[in-house]
Amino acid sequence: MKNTDLPRPLNLPVFPWDLLGPYRETAASFPGGAIDLSIGTPIDDCPDIAQSALAAAANSPGYPAVVGSCELRNAIVSWARGRGINCITADSCLPTIGSKELVANLGWQLGIGSGDKILFPEIAYPTYDICARLAGAQGIPVSNDISTWPRDASLVWLNTPANPTGWVAPKEWLREVVSWAREVGAVVASDECYSELTYGGTGPAPSLLQEDVCAGSNENLLLVYSVSKESNLAGYRAAFVAGDPDLIASLLAVRKHAGVIMPAPVQAALRRVLLDRSQVAQQVERYARRRKILAAAIENAGLKIAEECEAGLYLWVFDPADTADKQFSPGRGADWRLLDKFAHLGLIVAPESFYNSRPGSHVRVALCVSDKEIEKTAKHLAKFA
C-alpha cells in the first residue's frame, strides 16, 4: 500500500529563478533577443591545462578516495601557501563536488540540527539559508555588526567577496569574527570562491585562514573554495573545503557513508589549475574589461553601483530616481521595478529579493556574458529611461 504521506515537504522556498519567467519573455521580445545577466555561470573556455589533465586521467575505472588523492591535497596545500595560509595540511582538506553541495549540506553533515542556530549575511547567496533548512536548524540573517549576533550560534557563514553585493571583508573584521567565534564556541565557514576576482591590482581578498587573521590556528574554522568562476570550471564541479582537522575528519566520515566523491579526472584537473595560476590572471583580465564597460554604461544610464561593490562577478545596481515606498512582493518592490525596466531593454537581471528577506532596491548584474554581449548590453542601456 502506498504511503500517502510521502514525499514530505522540506520547508524549502520556491527556487528564485523560477520567478523570472515573465521577465524572460519580455526580454526575449526585444529586437535581437534577450541577454541573460541574471546567473553567474562562466561562458569562456575551460583552460587547456584543465582539459588536458581531465583527458589524461580519463581511464579511471576504480572508485577514487572520498578524501581525494595525495597529489590533489598537496596541491591544495601549495595553493594555500601562496595565499599566506599556513595552517592547512594534507590532512585538513578534502575535495567537494562543487562548493554549492558543501554549502547546502555542511550543517547536517556537522551534526547541526533542531534547536541550533546558523547565521549568514542578511544579503546573501540563498544556499546559506538552505543549509539551515536542510539541517532542521534555525537560519538567522545577520548584519556586519558582530555585536548583534546571537551568541548561542552553532555555525556562522561568511562570504567574501560577497555574492551579490561585491563587498570585501577587511582583515580587521575577519579578526573580530575569529575572536567572537572562539569566545562563544561557534564554527565559522568562510565561502571565498570569488577571492581572486578583484580589480585594480589589489590582489586576492583577505582569507579567514591567513596567518595574520586567525593567528595560525584553524580551530573551528573552515575555508570553502571553488575554481568554478576563476578557472571557468563550473561544469567540472571542482572545489574543496579546508581548515580544522577535527571538522574535516567529521565531514570525511559522513561523506564516506554518503558516497560523496569527486571523480578522479576532475581531481586531476583541479590539481592542475591550483598549481598553475596563470590562467586565473587571464580570466580576471577578461572580467575587469567587461566590468569597466558595463559599469560605465550603467552610470551613463543614470543608475548607480553600490559603493561596497568592489569584487566578484556582479555589479550591485540601483536606481536613485526610484524613491517610491518599497513593497515586498514579486513585481512590486523597487528591485522588481528596475528588473522590469531592464527586461524591456532585452536584459535579464536578478532582483535583490532573491538574496534578502527584506524589501530591497538593487538588482544583480552578472559579468558572465561574452565581450560581444557586453558591448550590446551597453548599447541597450543607452536607451534606459
Side-chain angles (χ1 to χ4, degrees), residues 116-345:
D116 293 321
K117 295 177 181 177
I118 296 179
L119 313 185
F120 50 85
E122 59 186 355
I123 302 177
Y125 180 48
T127 310
Y128 307 127
D129 173 54
I130 299 302
C131 171
R133 291 172 185 258
L134 291 180
Q138 181 183 3
I140 302 176
V142 294
S143 71
N144 289 339
D145 184 354
I146 301 169
S147 68
T148 66
W149 293 3
R151 295 178 62 82
D152 56 347
S154 297
L155 172 64
V156 180
W157 275 108
L158 309 181
N159 181 210
T160 176
N163 172 15
T165 66
W167 177 71
V168 177
K171 285 185 179 181
E172 295 76 13
W173 187 83
L174 290 173
R175 291 189 194 105
E176 290 180 23
V177 172
V178 171
S179 177
W180 179 90
R182 287 174 175 165
E183 184 178 339
V184 304
V187 172
V188 179
S190 184
D191 180 353
E192 301 179 7
C193 69
Y194 298 101
S195 65
E196 301 256 356
L197 300 179
T198 59
Y199 310 102
T202 59
S207 172
L208 180 73
L209 293 186
Q210 282 180 248
E211 193 82 11
D212 55 353
V213 171
C214 68
S217 172
N218 57 24
E219 183 178 2
N220 271 23
L221 305 179
L222 292 173
L223 165 65
V224 180
Y225 200 80
S226 168
V227 297
S228 292
K229 309 302 171 60
E230 66 180 27
S231 299
N232 302 323
L233 294 183
Y236 285 47
R237 313 310 298 132
F240 63 86
V241 59
D244 186 326
D246 291 336
L247 295 177
I248 295 295
S250 179
L251 289 172
L252 177 60
V254 173
R255 294 166 74 85
K256 283 181 178 178
H257 284 293
V260 186
I261 309 172
M262 178 183 285
V266 177
Q267 292 190 35
L270 174 56
R271 172 182 177 273
R272 194 71 185 90
V273 298
L274 288 175
L275 293 176
D276 183 346
R277 307 301 287 164
S278 60
Q279 35 81 34
V280 176
Q282 294 171 4
Q283 188 58 41
V284 172
E285 287 180 5
R286 291 190 190 104
Y287 283 133
R289 182 172 63 251
R290 293 168 187 166
R291 180 184 173 97
K292 182 178 180 180
I293 294 170
L294 196 52
I298 286 169
E299 295 282 352
N300 289 338
L303 303 174
K304 294 293 183 182
I305 299 168
E307 186 176 351
E308 71 270 22
C309 186
E310 299 179 26
L313 282 182
Y314 314 105
L315 296 177
W316 194 228
V317 179
F318 65 99
D319 183 357
D322 189 344
T323 58
D325 291 338
K326 300 173 184 177
Q327 303 177 62
F328 187 54
S329 62
R332 298 179 66 89
D335 54 342
W336 290 90
R337 290 192 290 273
L338 184 53
L339 164 65
D340 185 64
K341 289 182 179 180
F342 270 85
H344 278 87
L345 292 175

Side-chain angles (χ1 to χ4, degrees), residues 93-119:
C93 58
L94 59 89
T96 64
I97 316 302
S99 59
K100 186 170 185 175
E101 66 91 354
L102 190 280
V103 172
N105 296 307
L106 182 64
W108 73 262
Q109 288 186 357
L110 289 178
I112 293 171
S114 177
D116 293 321
K117 295 177 181 177
I118 296 179
L119 313 185

